[in-house]
Amino acid sequence: MDSLHKRDIILQRRGRQPTAGVDYEDANKSISDLEKAVFAVDDGNGLIAEFVPIRLVTILEVFIRNVIELLLYADDEKKRRAQALLKSIKFDFLLTEALESGQLTLASIDAHEVHIQTLPAIVHIFDVLLADDFWEVMQQTRLVIAEDDGSFVQEPIIEDIDALKKELTRLFEVRHVLTHELPHSKAVNRDDIKRMIEASRKFVTALGQIQQDNEWWNNPRNIAEYEEQMRGFLAESQSKLNDAVQQLIAFDQSCRELVEKAQNAWQQFIGHQAELEADRNEPWCREVARLVNLTHATDTRHAEIVSMLQEWRLNST
């Protein structure tokens, strides 16, 4: 039950098909892969190390844009705040067509229009979107961890916010130098790289938790509240699917029996499949995983029925 799968459910609840994105687990994996690759080789002349800050900042930028986009999906108030961050956008034919077709949204455009090439610029964006001091929010953010008994505990992510700011500032500065200049001496050494990687990892984890606090988790206190939240999403999906099925039957009453048989067969199949996929999770979250899988499958089935109905109507004209 990965977090992108959960993100898809949230976006679909808002009538949006999910777009590709990089969540904090993906970003942290990219950081870890980079760390393994760098320290697995002998970098006697330090040339490999100089590529690391460039790659680290790229990972952060891609992740940050995704977080901004998701925050804008989650809260209309944040959308209004975002307007103060944007420059004028020129809408050409291709951009307008992409908006109308759903390939792009205003939230995704906003996320890619803002300037995030420097750390102060990033901090300013989140100051505005969160309507709070970004570094204060980061310092207070706790990682939510599920215990075996289904309860959630919170652990601090950043113990020294000043040290984190120092390392990230250094990271962005070095990236700028390595991208636009040819320094006469080595800009970083392996110890610098270790600190930059660890700072990037903590930043990504904390920002990912901030995103979840604002957009997905809604701070459930225990697994029971989490399950209740997902049951509500599933009920919404089932209601939409049932309405679509009834519209299909109403369009052609002669197909009622076949449609009902198909739906019954689908429900039995998807029920077993959701349980099978849920069993791959830890025991404490299997019911939540089952509900997420059912909701995702129900939304997919709803889209199929709607498409079928549209095709029937088109063929009848």
Side-chain angles (χ1 to χ4, degrees):
M1 188 181 61
D2 58 61
S3 53
L4 275 183
H5 196 169
K6 294 182 290 187
R7 181 181 76 101
D8 293 351
I9 300 296
I10 291 294
L11 296 185
Q12 289 169 345
R13 295 280 65 68
R14 295 180 172 272
R16 283 277 304 120
Q17 288 300 314
T19 56
V22 177
D23 71 348
Y24 79 96
E25 293 176 350
D26 294 325
N28 269 330
K29 183 179 184 302
S30 296
I31 292 172
S32 295
D33 290 345
L34 178 63
E35 181 180 31
K36 292 175 184 177
V38 169
F39 292 105
V41 297
D42 181 14
D43 187 22
N45 56 16
L47 289 177
I48 295 176
E50 291 193 343
F51 287 98
V52 176
I54 299 172
R55 178 61 176 169
L56 277 176
V57 173
T58 299
I59 293 170
L60 294 182
E61 287 181 347
V62 173
F63 172 63
I64 288 167
R65 291 196 188 280
N66 189 61
V67 170
I68 293 171
E69 182 176 353
L70 292 178
L71 288 176
L72 294 179
Y73 278 133
D75 190 341
D76 290 339
E77 179 59 32
K78 290 184 176 64
K79 293 177 185 176
R80 286 188 287 271
R81 295 172 192 160
Q83 300 313 305
L85 301 169
L86 298 175
K87 304 173 183 177
S88 59
I89 304 175
K90 295 181 180 179
F91 285 84
D92 58 17
F93 174 77
L94 291 177
L95 183 56
T96 304
E97 184 180 42
L99 282 169
E100 290 182 348
S101 66
Q103 296 174 357
L104 289 176
T105 68
L106 287 175
S108 61
I109 292 173
D110 289 351
H112 286 79
E113 180 71 10
V114 293
H115 170 71
I116 61 170
Q117 276 68 49
T118 66
L119 186 60
I122 294 169
V123 172
H124 175 64
I125 290 169
F126 286 110
D127 281 346
V128 173
L129 293 183
L130 300 175
D132 205 344
D133 184 285
F134 176 60
W135 291 122
E136 287 289 335
V137 176
M138 289 283 284
Q139 189 171 26
Q140 296 170 11
T141 299
R142 300 291 184 268
L143 185 64
V144 179
I145 300 175
E147 296 290 299
D148 291 338
D149 62 2
S151 63
F152 290 148
V153 298
Q154 297 185 349
E155 294 184 357
I157 299 171
I158 300 170
E159 298 175 353
D160 189 339
I161 193 69
D162 291 330
L164 180 71
K165 288 192 284 186
K166 179 180 177 181
E167 288 302 330
L168 290 175
T169 299
R170 169 77 171 144
L171 170 61
F172 276 81
E173 289 175 349
V174 170
R175 188 285 299 260
H176 179 81
V177 170
L178 293 173
T179 304
H180 301 287
E181 302 176 19
L182 288 173
H184 296 295
S185 60
K186 291 182 180 179
V188 290
N189 57 43
R190 290 172 80 86
D191 289 337
D192 294 329
I193 293 302
K194 288 179 181 179
R195 290 193 297 270
M196 290 176 179
I197 286 175
E198 186 58 27
S200 298
R201 184 179 288 119
K202 288 183 178 180
F203 179 85
V204 163
T205 303
L207 185 55
Q209 188 63 52
I210 290 172
Q211 175 208 318
Q212 289 184 343
D213 290 344
N214 280 270
E215 187 245 350
W216 163 250
W217 287 86
N218 198 23
N219 295 316
R221 290 169 295 184
N222 52 54
I223 193 63
E225 290 187 5
Y226 197 4
E227 288 181 11
E228 182 179 357
Q229 191 177 48
M230 282 311 309
R231 290 185 194 282
F233 289 153
L234 178 58
E236 287 181 33
S237 292
Q238 290 173 333
S239 177
K240 288 169 56 180
L241 175 58
N242 290 337
D243 288 344
V245 170
Q246 292 307 312
Q247 290 180 44
L248 193 68
I249 292 174
F251 183 81
D252 186 353
Q253 288 287 342
S254 65
C255 73
R256 172 184 291 274
E257 184 176 354
L258 286 176
V259 170
E260 290 178 346
K261 284 183 177 179
Q263 275 303 104
N264 289 335
W266 173 82
Q267 287 175 348
Q268 290 183 6
F269 166 75
I270 206 61
H272 292 310
Q273 186 179 50
E275 289 184 7
L276 179 63
E277 293 177 358
D279 282 344
R280 298 172 57 196
N281 292 268
E282 296 297 326
W284 70 268
C285 68
R286 283 177 184 166
E287 178 60 14
V288 172
R290 187 184 73 84
L291 293 169
V292 169
N293 293 333
L294 280 176
T295 303
H296 184 69
T298 303
D299 286 338
T300 301
R301 180 62 173 170
H302 172 258
E304 292 172 351
I305 296 296
V306 170
S307 178
M308 186 184 303
L309 180 58
Q310 291 174 343
E311 185 177 349
W312 285 11
R313 287 171 173 166
L314 183 64
N315 291 336
S316 67
T317 57

